[in-house]
Each structure stands twice: as C-alpha cells, then as structure tokens.
Amino acid sequence: MSDSKPLTLSEWFHQETKYDRRTINLLPRPDFDGQPMPWKQWHSRHPVDLVPYLPFEDFPLGPAEDQEPLDPRSLGDEVRAISRTLFFTCGATGFQQTPEGTQIFRAAPSAGALYPTEVMVVLREIEGLKDGLYAYSVPHHQLVLLYEGVEMEEVAAACWDDPAFEDAKMCVVLTGLWQRSRWRYHDRAYRRILLDTGHVLGNLVHAAGHEGYQAKIRTRFIDSRLQSLLFLDDAEEGVLALVPLVPWQSAGIEVRDEEPLSLKASTGSPLTNPPAEDPIVALQRAGELLENSSSQALAMKPALAVQQQNEFALQGTMADLSGEFCSISVQRRSTRQFTGAPIEVSDLGRILDFSHRFLRASSTQLLGAGPLLDVHCITQRVKGIDSGHWLYCCEKHRLILRKAGDHRRSLQEYCLGQDLAGDAAAAVIYSAPLTEAVRLLGDRVYRDLHLDSGFLGHQINLGSMRLNTGVSGIAGFFDDSLGKFLGLPEGHIVTYITLIGDPMPSG
Ligand SMILES: Cc1cc2nc3c(=O)[nH]c(=O)nc-3n(C[C@H](O)[C@H](O)[C@H](O)COP(=O)(O)O)c2cc1C
C-alpha cells in the first residue's frame, strides 16, 4: 500500500483485483474439480410447481418422482405472476448436453456461466401458501418453502420501513454466493457477482412489468438484520438486492422528485493495513448499512471533460421492447463471435436510447449510483458515424467525441486479447469516479456502481436482441491500460464493457 495516500477498502480491493498484462498469468489456474454447483439443491416433498403456469408446455425438468406438488387449484392467482416473473428473469432457458452432464443456461447471462446469484422470494397472503421465505429451484422451476417465520414486515423493517413493501405480497431477494464465482475468478469474482446480479435485476423489471407488477429495486438495507433474518452466513453469501413487487395500479410511478437524489451512506474510512479476512467478505462488510446510517445527497456532476465542438446527434430511439421481452428473454444468448460487419448508427442510437432511459434525471428511481457512471461508446464499425471514442450524453441523446480513430486492435488487446472485442461494431463502457464516490457514499457505493453497470449492460443486451444485433458482456479487461486509453483521471475505474455487433450465425 502507498505510504503517502491511504486507500479506502474499495480502492484497495479494486487495485488488488485488477488484471495486468504482466501478472495475469500468475493467477492460479481454476480447480475444475472443485467447481461448486451453479444452484443450491433444495428438495421438498410438496413444492410449489411453477411449470404449469408457463406460457408453453415443454419444460424439460418437472417435479422429481418423489415429489407431490401442491395442487395448483388451491393456489392464488399471484402464483402465475411469480412463475412467469422468475422464469423470464432467471429461469432455465437452455439445456446443453456436455460430457460432464447437462449445462443449463438461463434467462440472464452470467460471467463464465457460473450463476452466482441465488434467488429467493418472501411471500405473504398468497392463497394456499404459507407466509414465509421460499427458495427458487432453477432446474425444476419450483418454489420450496425454507422458513415460515420470515415475514414481509421484518424485511421492510430492514429497509427502514420503506413504503414500497406496504402493498407487496411478493418480494424477490437476490443474494451473491462468493465461492460459486471465486473458485474461477479469485477475488475479482466479487465484481462479476455484482454485474451478474445487475443483469438479473435488469430482466426482473421487465418480467414483473409484463405480469402487471412494478419491481421496486432496493439495494440499500440494514445488512446484518437481513443476513440473520434469512439465516445467511456472510462468509459465504450476502444479500445484494430486495425487490418488492407491487401491482401497477397501487404502485405509483417512482420518479426522481428529489433533487438531488439522496442515498444512505456507509463508512469509507482509509485503510491502515490490508484486511486480514477474505477481501470479498471484508468489502461486503465495509459496505454494510446500519440502523442509523445517514443519507447523503448525490450531487456529483458528470466527471469527464468533453470537447463540445464535435457532437453527434443520434436519431434512432426505442421506447420499449414492443411486447417482445418474453421471447427475447427465452431466446437470448451471448454472442460468441461477431462477423466484423458494421451496424447502422440508427440502431446504435436505438440501443443507447433504450438502455439509458434509466439514467435520465426524470426516470424511475431504479439505480442507486447510476448518475455517477460515465457512458463511453467506442464506435468501430458503425455506418454513418466516424470511428472513435465518444461519451454518450443520455439527456441529449448525443455522442461527444473524445478521441477520433480506429481503436479496434487496442480494444481487443485491453479485453484480454478476446477476438470478440476487435470484431465488435461498437462497445459501451462504464466508468466511475470511485475515489470521490466512496468519499461521499462510503464503501457501499462499490456495490452500486457494479450492480448498476450490470443492470444497464443488460438493457443493452435486451435492446440489441430486439434489433437482432449480437451482444456480449465483458468483465475481463486490463484495467489500467483501458483506463488510460479512455483518458480516465486518477481515482476513476472501469466497471463494465458491453460489445455490440453483427453476430456470426451459429451452427
Ligand atoms: C458480467 C459478465 C461478464 C462476461 N464476460 C464475458 C467475457 O469476458 N467474454 C465472453 O466471451 N463472454 C462473457 N460473458 C458472457 C458469458 O460467457 C455468458 O453470459 C455465459 O456463458 C452464459 O451464456 P448466455 O449468455 O449465452 O446465456 C459475460 C457475461 C456477463 C454477465
């Protein structure tokens, strides 16, 4: 650690988990024999079978032979909404036979297909079901009752009695399982777990909306209360998001009427020594919010300087997915190879517009630290606009040039040499002023910056799929080289990259 400038835990963690050309090969090889299961194995003799509520019939894995699911006729109408919301958010949408067994792909993408985000739901007053905490079994598309004693009121209390819970009969709980990703990605796994969870949230708002519910994402809560309420060991697993689902008619639209936005802050004390404990657990703990955590106004201005003289006004817009969300969610797959052919600038405009509605000042309050993110766009092969590094201004739907030129090979190199990056038509990259953000909001902001980047990256996935454009997230990159290329000042970090391009037809 530097003597002159003590780092906060977030800064230290980020520094320690950077990929660098000189050291990446020194990382231990993953132990493929030690790979954890990508889901928890829950079993109940009487599960809630969610398969009959799907809008199609051929779901491969129904109830096991020794199971007698609860009679659907005895269950309330909301079970259909739960079934579809969970399926189109993170259900098993792809089954592939491999020498090791069946690999299941899901509605939301996941770095390395490791799926470290675990899903539970808290239910209350659903006809035929006991109030309590249920686990979502992905392979069987079932709910399994875990604890009857977990009540919605207690979950709300861990959110400072947030009124969002008042009309909610269902609350989705997303947790991160550290080892499920860490066995492969070491401590950098934490970043990917947060990004992955952001993707799941990115589906959830659409899936719930499709069923007539507003997904009120809450990523700020009193961590220790929830961990003990849900019987979680924070050395293994941490709650990352709570999402009460509120019927649209009683939900009201949450707009950012507070100016500036105000967020609960954790501490962000400078480190004197590196943490003795597991760095992921240490950072998750450092970001904990307490009963009496205070709120801070989020009044930071866009951080990066731009030359106003070279702006490009984008024309294409996309207000919604035109009812295509469910089919996109089922058919979606990350692109493995781009052809290298260009895309149209109008399509790039549509994708950027659709994805960054959530960042606009007038939008719903879904993102914790979204306003802190800078949105970079590298145009590599986009018809109608010069190649270069641009900043995207979502309020004006404009690109503002930072550096003209063909950056294909550089981007490929920064993305660990992945061909996908060199062959992409464009890349959207998020960066954030970490040092300043932690000074303002404490270490909790590290979670927000990555969750929000994953959420936005997921919107890019959905918007691209809507236009039959190829897309893939990229969480592996040489941090400092990429930051330097983007002209990031000291204290700024890159959080996530999403590539867009012409997909190579599969098979
Ligand atoms: C956070 C995140 C990071 C990813 N990073 C990469 C990457 O660096 N390279 C790559 O080819 N795919 C990457 N992917 C795509 C995953 O490999 C893909 O989601 C996973 O294999 C599951 O396949 P599917 O998205 O087609 O369902 C990433 C996905 C996510 C969500």
Side-chain angles (χ1 to χ4, degrees):
M1 255 194 316
S2 151
D3 294 337
S4 54
K5 198 173 136 234
L7 302 175
T8 55
L9 187 53
S10 299
E11 293 170 290
W12 174 85
F13 179 88
H14 201 79
Q15 184 65 34
E16 289 293 307
T17 57
K18 283 179 177 173
Y19 285 151
D20 184 287
R21 208 173 276 106
R22 290 159 302 184
T23 53
I24 192 163
N25 290 328
L26 302 177
L27 287 169
R29 297 274 137 218
D31 166 18
F32 284 92
D33 294 334
Q35 176 174 3
M37 287 288 290
W39 53 74
K40 287 188 188 172
Q41 285 181 299
W42 301 113
H43 191 76
S44 158
R45 183 126 170 77
H46 303 293
V48 185
D49 181 13
L50 299 174
V51 174
Y53 303 90
L54 293 175
F56 50 82
E57 283 176 5
D58 55 347
F59 187 78
L61 288 181
E65 278 182 8
D66 61 345
Q67 290 186 313
E68 285 172 31
L70 298 177
D71 182 351
R73 287 166 302 182
S74 66
L75 306 181
D77 290 341
E78 294 91 346
V79 179
R80 175 193 138 114
I82 300 169
S83 169
R84 294 184 176 199
T85 298
L86 292 179
F87 183 77
F88 293 111
T89 295
C90 55
T93 53
F95 293 79
Q96 196 180 75
Q97 293 310 323
T98 68
E100 292 76 40
T102 308
Q103 162 83 47
I104 294 184
F105 293 93
R106 305 198 192 169
S110 163
L114 303 179
Y115 306 104
T117 309
E118 195 69 22
V119 181
M120 294 181 278
V121 284
V122 177
L123 300 180
R124 82 167 151 202
E125 295 169 18
I126 309 277
E127 197 184 327
L129 293 181
K130 292 178 173 147
D131 287 4
L133 178 71
Y134 291 74
Y136 175 50
S137 161
V138 173
H140 294 278
H141 193 50
Q142 296 178 343
L143 288 182
V144 172
L145 178 62
L146 293 182
Y147 303 112
E148 272 183 57
V150 176
E151 290 176 9
M152 192 73 81
E153 291 71 17
E154 293 176 273
V155 180
C159 260
W160 302 276
D161 289 319
D162 189 320
F165 290 85
E166 276 166 22
D167 293 315
K169 292 172 141 195
M170 312 173 253
C171 173
V172 178
V173 180
L174 301 182
T175 66
L177 265 126
W178 318 139
Q179 187 58 16
R180 215 180 265 173
S181 183
R182 185 174 36 200
W183 74 274
R184 174 154 177 191
Y185 294 122
H186 314 290
D187 291 336
R188 191 173 168 122
Y190 189 54
R191 302 195 205 176
R192 289 181 166 97
I193 295 168
L194 295 168
L195 293 168
D196 271 17
T197 305
H199 275 271
V200 173
L201 290 168
N203 259 348
L204 181 52
V205 290
H206 298 283
H210 206 263
E211 294 304 312
Y213 289 82
Q214 192 181 1
K216 299 202 169 202
I217 298 176
R218 298 295 183 259
T219 57
R220 291 170 176 269
F221 35 77
I222 304 162
D223 299 66
S224 59
R225 271 220 205 177
L226 273 181
Q227 292 285 128
S228 52
L229 184 66
L230 308 178
F231 302 97
L232 302 177
D233 175 356
D234 70 353
E236 310 277 330
E237 180 174 8
V239 181
L240 298 176
L242 297 174
V243 192
L245 304 181
V246 183
W248 269 105
Q249 59 272 26
S250 57
I253 294 179
E254 294 189 308
V255 287
R256 281 201 197 136
D257 48 5
E258 283 179 79
E259 269 306 334
L261 190 65
S262 159
L263 294 174
K264 293 269 186 200
S266 67
T267 55
S269 324
L271 273 186
T272 39
N273 290 305
E277 60 194 328
D278 169 344
I280 293 183
V281 177
L283 184 50
Q284 177 77 5
R285 282 186 187 149
E288 283 185 2
L289 296 174
L290 310 172
E291 196 93 39
N292 60 357
S293 289
S294 58
S295 296
Q296 291 294 329
L298 187 58
M300 294 169 77
K301 298 273 171 286
L304 295 177
V306 287
Q307 305 157 349
Q308 297 292 342
Q309 59 268 37
N310 203 341
E311 290 194 356
F312 187 98
L314 291 160
Q315 300 301 331
T317 58
M318 195 196 312
D320 54 44
L321 298 168
S322 313
E324 298 285 311
F325 168 72
C326 295
S327 59
I328 291 173
S329 168
V330 172
Q331 287 163 23
R332 180 212 62 75
R333 287 280 78 87
S334 300
T335 299
R336 303 289 170 203
Q337 205 179 348
F338 293 116
T339 62
I343 61 168
E344 300 287 336
V345 71
S346 52
D347 282 349
L348 178 65
R350 287 188 184 101
I351 294 165
L352 290 174
D353 177 58
F354 173 74
S355 313
H356 298 93
R357 291 169 301 147
F358 296 99
L359 278 189
R360 291 193 194 117
S362 58
S363 79
T364 54
Q365 279 189 353
L366 288 177
L367 302 182
L372 298 177
L373 295 173
D374 282 299
V375 186
H376 306 253
C377 183
I378 314 290
T379 48
Q380 309 201 125
R381 287 186 196 84
V382 183
K383 257 195 246 165
I385 186 169
D386 291 339
S387 294
H389 167 202
W390 308 77
L391 273 180
Y392 176 60
C393 168
C394 63
E395 300 293 346
K396 295 187 185 157
H397 195 36
R398 275 166 193 240
L399 291 170
I400 303 158
L401 189 65
R402 265 172 81 80
K403 193 160 42 168
D406 179 351
H407 304 302
R408 281 178 288 184
R409 291 304 141 218
S410 309
L411 189 69
Q412 177 176 349
E413 196 189 320
Y414 304 142
C415 292
L416 313 184
Q418 298 186 67
D419 291 340
L420 206 60
D423 296 336
V428 181
I429 305 177
Y430 299 115
S431 73
L434 180 65
T435 304
E436 210 179 333
V438 178
R439 189 182 53 72
L440 191 72
L441 293 165
D443 286 305
R444 179 58 155 241
V445 81
Y446 196 83
R447 289 193 215 175
D448 293 309
L449 293 172
H450 289 84
L451 286 167
D452 290 353
S453 299
F455 180 93
L456 293 169
H458 195 70
Q459 306 312 314
I460 300 176
N461 272 252
L462 296 175
S464 302
M465 295 297 294
R466 170 79 187 87
L467 301 177
N468 297 318
T469 301
V471 62
S472 178
I474 299 279
F477 44 83
F478 293 124
D479 299 80
D480 286 343
S481 314
L482 180 57
K484 196 166 164 204
F485 162 75
L486 295 174
L488 300 186
E490 188 157 354
H492 285 233
I493 60 165
V494 176
T495 54
Y496 195 27
I497 304 173
T498 305
L499 303 174
I500 306 167
D502 182 50
M504 188 75 83
S506 54

